[in-house]
Amino acid sequence: MNIWLLIPAGFIIGLVGSMFGIGGGIFIVPILHFGFKVPLHQAIACSLLTIVASSMMATMSKVRYGITNIRLSKALEIPSISGAIIGSALVGAMPIGILKVMFAAVAVAMAVDMFKNPVKVLAGGKERVYTAGGKDDAFADSFRDKATGCTVRYQVKNLKWAVPVSLAAGFLSSTLGIGGGVINVPLITNVCKAPIKVASATSSYKLGLTACAGSIIYFGKGYIVPDVTIMSVLGILAGAYVGMNLLLRTKAFYIELLFGMLMVGIAVKMVLSL
Amino acid sequence: MKDKKLRVYIYYMLLTGLSFVVFFSVMFLLLGGVWGKLALGTLLYLPPARLVTEIFGFSKTKNYGFALISVILLVMLFLGYTYESIGH
């Protein structure tokens, strides 16, 4: 296949990844391996670098507009990386089939929770309102939502549950080989009760570091194929730029609806891969 | 909006870094050779550079707890690389 096709493919992956706060490794590895006949290890190495690119570009503007909650990201990074280290150490000893079924069940439950607000809005109700309420803690923050023109103030809740869940998320992400974003976004939305845009931005912020840890090693071992990676990176950078602008201008319930559908799709894929 | 100054630092750091990545990538497409490694190497150094920016930003606002988390993450990143590079 013509290598220049990686630019438009990367553009679409960057756009989706930046909007939903996911890395896009789930899409780029099969495209490189099956479409461009890149060996699997090199495809994974390339995908990790493209995740770094997508995360850095998405972070740039989301940080500027104040959507990213840097403090929340800091609080969840160490548990999720620790979980990933534990997971990679135990990967051979775990009953992967059972884990996949458990993940699929949790993903469907989280998707149902994510559908609640869009269904209410589509049925004619009012969109969920976030209020800071009570005393502001270290994680409470606000941002200006370009889609509605309002300032959204929110409080981060259940942090005592979010930390162990983040550890479990890191564990699942390394044992099941799924990206952190698919777990991070529902975790921040459903457990921490933060708005979906904050969840997507904070997840993008977290992803870059995790992917960088893996890609430094692949880079050192010489697994990176420069031409394929650079084509993908250029496409992804452009896509991520458009994606984050779309995220800023799209109403939250549309993002919740689409992300819920993505979760259901991944749950089905997990069950089918048994 | 919390950590306003830190956000500004991170924004400009990433803007500069990504501009270099795009410049080196275009040079690689035009000329080939070492430009590719320069582009990808610059890209790889952005997350650690962001951590260093966070340490600086949080220390300036006296949020030492968050600065410490960034230090721990930077050490974890360095140790992970060292552990793999010595042949494990």
PDB file of all heavy atoms in Angstrom, chain A residues 167-195:
ATOM      1  N   LEU A 167      -5.595   2.096  39.790  1.00  0.00           N
ATOM      2  CA  LEU A 167      -4.616   1.001  39.891  1.00  0.00           C
ATOM      3  C   LEU A 167      -5.126  -0.209  39.107  1.00  0.00           C
ATOM      4  O   LEU A 167      -4.394  -0.815  38.307  1.00  0.00           O
ATOM      5  CB  LEU A 167      -4.416   0.625  41.365  1.00  0.00           C
ATOM      6  CG  LEU A 167      -3.308  -0.378  41.661  1.00  0.00           C
ATOM      7  CD1 LEU A 167      -2.007   0.360  41.920  1.00  0.00           C
ATOM      8  CD2 LEU A 167      -3.647  -1.217  42.882  1.00  0.00           C
ATOM      9  N   ALA A 168      -6.422  -0.522  39.312  1.00  0.00           N
ATOM     10  CA  ALA A 168      -7.029  -1.643  38.578  1.00  0.00           C
ATOM     11  C   ALA A 168      -7.056  -1.356  37.081  1.00  0.00           C
ATOM     12  O   ALA A 168      -6.840  -2.267  36.261  1.00  0.00           O
ATOM     13  CB  ALA A 168      -8.446  -1.893  39.091  1.00  0.00           C
ATOM     14  N   ALA A 169      -7.292  -0.093  36.713  1.00  0.00           N
ATOM     15  CA  ALA A 169      -7.334   0.281  35.287  1.00  0.00           C
ATOM     16  C   ALA A 169      -5.975   0.070  34.636  1.00  0.00           C
ATOM     17  O   ALA A 169      -5.882  -0.466  33.527  1.00  0.00           O
ATOM     18  CB  ALA A 169      -7.764   1.737  35.145  1.00  0.00           C
ATOM     19  N   GLY A 170      -4.918   0.478  35.333  1.00  0.00           N
ATOM     20  CA  GLY A 170      -3.560   0.273  34.818  1.00  0.00           C
ATOM     21  C   GLY A 170      -3.267  -1.209  34.661  1.00  0.00           C
ATOM     22  O   GLY A 170      -2.676  -1.642  33.667  1.00  0.00           O
ATOM     23  N   PHE A 171      -3.731  -1.997  35.649  1.00  0.00           N
ATOM     24  CA  PHE A 171      -3.541  -3.448  35.624  1.00  0.00           C
ATOM     25  C   PHE A 171      -4.241  -4.047  34.399  1.00  0.00           C
ATOM     26  O   PHE A 171      -3.655  -4.821  33.636  1.00  0.00           O
ATOM     27  CB  PHE A 171      -4.111  -4.033  36.929  1.00  0.00           C
ATOM     28  CG  PHE A 171      -4.021  -5.524  37.021  1.00  0.00           C
ATOM     29  CD1 PHE A 171      -2.844  -6.131  37.423  1.00  0.00           C
ATOM     30  CD2 PHE A 171      -5.108  -6.312  36.705  1.00  0.00           C
ATOM     31  CE1 PHE A 171      -2.757  -7.516  37.495  1.00  0.00           C
ATOM     32  CE2 PHE A 171      -5.029  -7.689  36.775  1.00  0.00           C
ATOM     33  CZ  PHE A 171      -3.854  -8.300  37.177  1.00  0.00           C
ATOM     34  N   LEU A 172      -5.524  -3.671  34.212  1.00  0.00           N
ATOM     35  CA  LEU A 172      -6.303  -4.191  33.079  1.00  0.00           C
ATOM     36  C   LEU A 172      -5.695  -3.761  31.753  1.00  0.00           C
ATOM     37  O   LEU A 172      -5.629  -4.546  30.804  1.00  0.00           O
ATOM     38  CB  LEU A 172      -7.739  -3.663  33.144  1.00  0.00           C
ATOM     39  CG  LEU A 172      -8.718  -4.442  33.989  1.00  0.00           C
ATOM     40  CD1 LEU A 172     -10.065  -3.768  33.947  1.00  0.00           C
ATOM     41  CD2 LEU A 172      -8.840  -5.874  33.512  1.00  0.00           C
ATOM     42  N   SER A 173      -5.225  -2.498  31.707  1.00  0.00           N
ATOM     43  CA  SER A 173      -4.705  -1.990  30.432  1.00  0.00           C
ATOM     44  C   SER A 173      -3.466  -2.773  30.005  1.00  0.00           C
ATOM     45  O   SER A 173      -3.270  -3.039  28.832  1.00  0.00           O
ATOM     46  CB  SER A 173      -4.479  -0.487  30.537  1.00  0.00           C
ATOM     47  OG  SER A 173      -3.174  -0.140  30.388  1.00  0.00           O
ATOM     48  N   SER A 174      -2.619  -3.189  30.976  1.00  0.00           N
ATOM     49  CA  SER A 174      -1.430  -3.937  30.557  1.00  0.00           C
ATOM     50  C   SER A 174      -1.724  -5.416  30.344  1.00  0.00           C
ATOM     51  O   SER A 174      -1.099  -6.050  29.503  1.00  0.00           O
ATOM     52  CB  SER A 174      -0.285  -3.740  31.543  1.00  0.00           C
ATOM     53  OG  SER A 174      -0.595  -4.336  32.750  1.00  0.00           O
ATOM     54  N   THR A 175      -2.673  -6.006  31.099  1.00  0.00           N
ATOM     55  CA  THR A 175      -2.958  -7.436  30.896  1.00  0.00           C
ATOM     56  C   THR A 175      -3.802  -7.669  29.637  1.00  0.00           C
ATOM     57  O   THR A 175      -3.612  -8.656  28.939  1.00  0.00           O
ATOM     58  CB  THR A 175      -3.696  -8.055  32.101  1.00  0.00           C
ATOM     59  OG1 THR A 175      -4.737  -7.183  32.477  1.00  0.00           O
ATOM     60  CG2 THR A 175      -2.769  -8.317  33.259  1.00  0.00           C
ATOM     61  N   LEU A 176      -4.716  -6.748  29.328  1.00  0.00           N
ATOM     62  CA  LEU A 176      -5.584  -6.945  28.160  1.00  0.00           C
ATOM     63  C   LEU A 176      -5.058  -6.249  26.914  1.00  0.00           C
ATOM     64  O   LEU A 176      -5.600  -6.420  25.821  1.00  0.00           O
ATOM     65  CB  LEU A 176      -7.002  -6.446  28.452  1.00  0.00           C
ATOM     66  CG  LEU A 176      -7.745  -7.140  29.588  1.00  0.00           C
ATOM     67  CD1 LEU A 176      -9.114  -6.526  29.778  1.00  0.00           C
ATOM     68  CD2 LEU A 176      -7.882  -8.627  29.324  1.00  0.00           C
ATOM     69  N   GLY A 177      -3.997  -5.472  27.067  1.00  0.00           N
ATOM     70  CA  GLY A 177      -3.404  -4.793  25.907  1.00  0.00           C
ATOM     71  C   GLY A 177      -4.303  -3.711  25.326  1.00  0.00           C
ATOM     72  O   GLY A 177      -4.282  -3.462  24.131  1.00  0.00           O
ATOM     73  N   ILE A 178      -5.126  -3.079  26.167  1.00  0.00           N
ATOM     74  CA  ILE A 178      -5.962  -1.981  25.667  1.00  0.00           C
ATOM     75  C   ILE A 178      -5.381  -0.659  26.183  1.00  0.00           C
ATOM     76  O   ILE A 178      -4.723  -0.640  27.214  1.00  0.00           O
ATOM     77  CB  ILE A 178      -7.427  -2.105  26.107  1.00  0.00           C
ATOM     78  CG1 ILE A 178      -7.493  -2.423  27.589  1.00  0.00           C
ATOM     79  CG2 ILE A 178      -8.152  -3.128  25.283  1.00  0.00           C
ATOM     80  CD1 ILE A 178      -8.851  -2.372  28.154  1.00  0.00           C
ATOM     81  N   GLY A 179      -5.637   0.394  25.465  1.00  0.00           N
ATOM     82  CA  GLY A 179      -5.063   1.685  25.837  1.00  0.00           C
ATOM     83  C   GLY A 179      -5.663   2.206  27.124  1.00  0.00           C
ATOM     84  O   GLY A 179      -6.744   1.789  27.552  1.00  0.00           O
ATOM     85  N   GLY A 180      -4.974   3.138  27.757  1.00  0.00           N
ATOM     86  CA  GLY A 180      -5.464   3.692  29.010  1.00  0.00           C
ATOM     87  C   GLY A 180      -6.699   4.559  28.838  1.00  0.00           C
ATOM     88  O   GLY A 180      -7.543   4.604  29.721  1.00  0.00           O
ATOM     89  N   GLY A 181      -6.841   5.212  27.693  1.00  0.00           N
ATOM     90  CA  GLY A 181      -7.911   6.177  27.498  1.00  0.00           C
ATOM     91  C   GLY A 181      -9.297   5.589  27.625  1.00  0.00           C
ATOM     92  O   GLY A 181     -10.194   6.195  28.210  1.00  0.00           O
ATOM     93  N   VAL A 182      -9.451   4.373  27.105  1.00  0.00           N
ATOM     94  CA  VAL A 182     -10.760   3.717  27.129  1.00  0.00           C
ATOM     95  C   VAL A 182     -11.212   3.494  28.576  1.00  0.00           C
ATOM     96  O   VAL A 182     -12.396   3.463  28.873  1.00  0.00           O
ATOM     97  CB  VAL A 182     -10.671   2.373  26.362  1.00  0.00           C
ATOM     98  CG1 VAL A 182     -11.951   1.614  26.432  1.00  0.00           C
ATOM     99  CG2 VAL A 182     -10.279   2.623  24.936  1.00  0.00           C
ATOM    100  N   ILE A 183     -10.232   3.347  29.490  1.00  0.00           N
ATOM    101  CA  ILE A 183     -10.577   3.143  30.898  1.00  0.00           C
ATOM    102  C   ILE A 183     -10.593   4.485  31.643  1.00  0.00           C
ATOM    103  O   ILE A 183     -11.453   4.714  32.493  1.00  0.00           O
ATOM    104  CB  ILE A 183      -9.573   2.174  31.564  1.00  0.00           C
ATOM    105  CG1 ILE A 183      -9.519   0.866  30.774  1.00  0.00           C
ATOM    106  CG2 ILE A 183      -9.961   1.899  32.998  1.00  0.00           C
ATOM    107  CD1 ILE A 183      -8.541  -0.140  31.297  1.00  0.00           C
ATOM    108  N   ASN A 184      -9.639   5.358  31.299  1.00  0.00           N
ATOM    109  CA  ASN A 184      -9.518   6.640  32.027  1.00  0.00           C
ATOM    110  C   ASN A 184     -10.766   7.507  31.926  1.00  0.00           C
ATOM    111  O   ASN A 184     -11.213   8.075  32.915  1.00  0.00           O
ATOM    112  CB  ASN A 184      -8.352   7.463  31.448  1.00  0.00           C
ATOM    113  CG  ASN A 184      -7.021   6.947  31.919  1.00  0.00           C
ATOM    114  OD1 ASN A 184      -6.924   6.390  32.995  1.00  0.00           O
ATOM    115  ND2 ASN A 184      -6.007   7.116  31.114  1.00  0.00           N
ATOM    116  N   VAL A 185     -11.295   7.641  30.699  1.00  0.00           N
ATOM    117  CA  VAL A 185     -12.418   8.571  30.488  1.00  0.00           C
ATOM    118  C   VAL A 185     -13.650   8.163  31.310  1.00  0.00           C
ATOM    119  O   VAL A 185     -14.176   8.981  32.079  1.00  0.00           O
ATOM    120  CB  VAL A 185     -12.734   8.731  28.981  1.00  0.00           C
ATOM    121  CG1 VAL A 185     -13.953   9.607  28.771  1.00  0.00           C
ATOM    122  CG2 VAL A 185     -11.544   9.333  28.256  1.00  0.00           C
ATOM    123  N   PRO A 186     -14.112   6.883  31.220  1.00  0.00           N
ATOM    124  CA  PRO A 186     -15.256   6.523  32.070  1.00  0.00           C
ATOM    125  C   PRO A 186     -14.932   6.613  33.557  1.00  0.00           C
ATOM    126  O   PRO A 186     -15.805   6.953  34.358  1.00  0.00           O
ATOM    127  CB  PRO A 186     -15.558   5.068  31.692  1.00  0.00           C
ATOM    128  CG  PRO A 186     -14.680   4.709  30.591  1.00  0.00           C
ATOM    129  CD  PRO A 186     -13.707   5.794  30.338  1.00  0.00           C
ATOM    130  N   LEU A 187     -13.668   6.339  33.921  1.00  0.00           N
ATOM    131  CA  LEU A 187     -13.284   6.430  35.337  1.00  0.00           C
ATOM    132  C   LEU A 187     -13.458   7.861  35.845  1.00  0.00           C
ATOM    133  O   LEU A 187     -14.074   8.083  36.903  1.00  0.00           O
ATOM    134  CB  LEU A 187     -11.812   5.974  35.490  1.00  0.00           C
ATOM    135  CG  LEU A 187     -11.118   6.321  36.811  1.00  0.00           C
ATOM    136  CD1 LEU A 187     -11.624   5.408  37.917  1.00  0.00           C
ATOM    137  CD2 LEU A 187      -9.613   6.186  36.699  1.00  0.00           C
ATOM    138  N   ILE A 188     -12.957   8.821  35.079  1.00  0.00           N
ATOM    139  CA  ILE A 188     -13.035  10.219  35.521  1.00  0.00           C
ATOM    140  C   ILE A 188     -14.473  10.731  35.461  1.00  0.00           C
ATOM    141  O   ILE A 188     -14.912  11.494  36.311  1.00  0.00           O
ATOM    142  CB  ILE A 188     -12.072  11.103  34.676  1.00  0.00           C
ATOM    143  CG1 ILE A 188     -10.626  10.633  34.897  1.00  0.00           C
ATOM    144  CG2 ILE A 188     -12.205  12.574  35.036  1.00  0.00           C
ATOM    145  CD1 ILE A 188      -9.613  11.240  33.952  1.00  0.00           C
ATOM    146  N   THR A 189     -15.238  10.255  34.462  1.00  0.00           N
ATOM    147  CA  THR A 189     -16.633  10.724  34.345  1.00  0.00           C
ATOM    148  C   THR A 189     -17.529  10.061  35.394  1.00  0.00           C
ATOM    149  O   THR A 189     -18.287  10.736  36.079  1.00  0.00           O
ATOM    150  CB  THR A 189     -17.201  10.374  32.948  1.00  0.00           C
ATOM    151  OG1 THR A 189     -16.187  10.553  32.000  1.00  0.00           O
ATOM    152  CG2 THR A 189     -18.380  11.230  32.592  1.00  0.00           C
ATOM    153  N   ASN A 190     -17.447   8.730  35.491  1.00  0.00           N
ATOM    154  CA  ASN A 190     -18.400   8.008  36.341  1.00  0.00           C
ATOM    155  C   ASN A 190     -18.008   7.983  37.813  1.00  0.00           C
ATOM    156  O   ASN A 190     -18.870   8.087  38.678  1.00  0.00           O
ATOM    157  CB  ASN A 190     -18.570   6.563  35.860  1.00  0.00           C
ATOM    158  CG  ASN A 190     -19.167   6.503  34.469  1.00  0.00           C
ATOM    159  OD1 ASN A 190     -19.827   7.428  34.035  1.00  0.00           O
ATOM    160  ND2 ASN A 190     -18.920   5.423  33.752  1.00  0.00           N
ATOM    161  N   VAL A 191     -16.724   7.830  38.099  1.00  0.00           N
ATOM    162  CA  VAL A 191     -16.307   7.743  39.511  1.00  0.00           C
ATOM    163  C   VAL A 191     -16.030   9.142  40.075  1.00  0.00           C
ATOM    164  O   VAL A 191     -16.533   9.488  41.139  1.00  0.00           O
ATOM    165  CB  VAL A 191     -15.057   6.828  39.663  1.00  0.00           C
ATOM    166  CG1 VAL A 191     -14.631   6.749  41.129  1.00  0.00           C
ATOM    167  CG2 VAL A 191     -15.344   5.430  39.125  1.00  0.00           C
ATOM    168  N   CYS A 192     -15.258   9.942  39.346  1.00  0.00           N
ATOM    169  CA  CYS A 192     -14.897  11.272  39.872  1.00  0.00           C
ATOM    170  C   CYS A 192     -15.970  12.327  39.596  1.00  0.00           C
ATOM    171  O   CYS A 192     -15.865  13.453  40.088  1.00  0.00           O
ATOM    172  CB  CYS A 192     -13.577  11.746  39.281  1.00  0.00           C
ATOM    173  SG  CYS A 192     -12.218  10.647  39.634  1.00  0.00           S
ATOM    174  N   LYS A 193     -16.974  11.964  38.789  1.00  0.00           N
ATOM    175  CA  LYS A 193     -18.096  12.865  38.470  1.00  0.00           C
ATOM    176  C   LYS A 193     -17.640  14.190  37.835  1.00  0.00           C
ATOM    177  O   LYS A 193     -18.198  15.264  38.100  1.00  0.00           O
ATOM    178  CB  LYS A 193     -18.939  13.182  39.725  1.00  0.00           C
ATOM    179  CG  LYS A 193     -19.432  11.950  40.470  1.00  0.00           C
ATOM    180  CD  LYS A 193     -20.507  11.221  39.717  1.00  0.00           C
ATOM    181  CE  LYS A 193     -20.944   9.941  40.414  1.00  0.00           C
ATOM    182  NZ  LYS A 193     -21.601   9.005  39.549  1.00  0.00           N
ATOM    183  N   ALA A 194     -16.594  14.114  37.008  1.00  0.00           N
ATOM    184  CA  ALA A 194     -16.127  15.316  36.293  1.00  0.00           C
ATOM    185  C   ALA A 194     -16.791  15.344  34.916  1.00  0.00           C
ATOM    186  O   ALA A 194     -17.169  14.297  34.394  1.00  0.00           O
ATOM    187  CB  ALA A 194     -14.619  15.283  36.160  1.00  0.00           C
ATOM    188  N   PRO A 195     -16.920  16.520  34.290  1.00  0.00           N
ATOM    189  CA  PRO A 195     -17.543  16.585  32.949  1.00  0.00           C
ATOM    190  C   PRO A 195     -16.746  15.784  31.914  1.00  0.00           C
ATOM    191  O   PRO A 195     -15.526  15.630  32.068  1.00  0.00           O
ATOM    192  CB  PRO A 195     -17.487  18.075  32.604  1.00  0.00           C
ATOM    193  CG  PRO A 195     -17.302  18.771  33.895  1.00  0.00           C
ATOM    194  CD  PRO A 195     -16.574  17.854  34.791  1.00  0.00           C
TER     195      PRO A 195
END
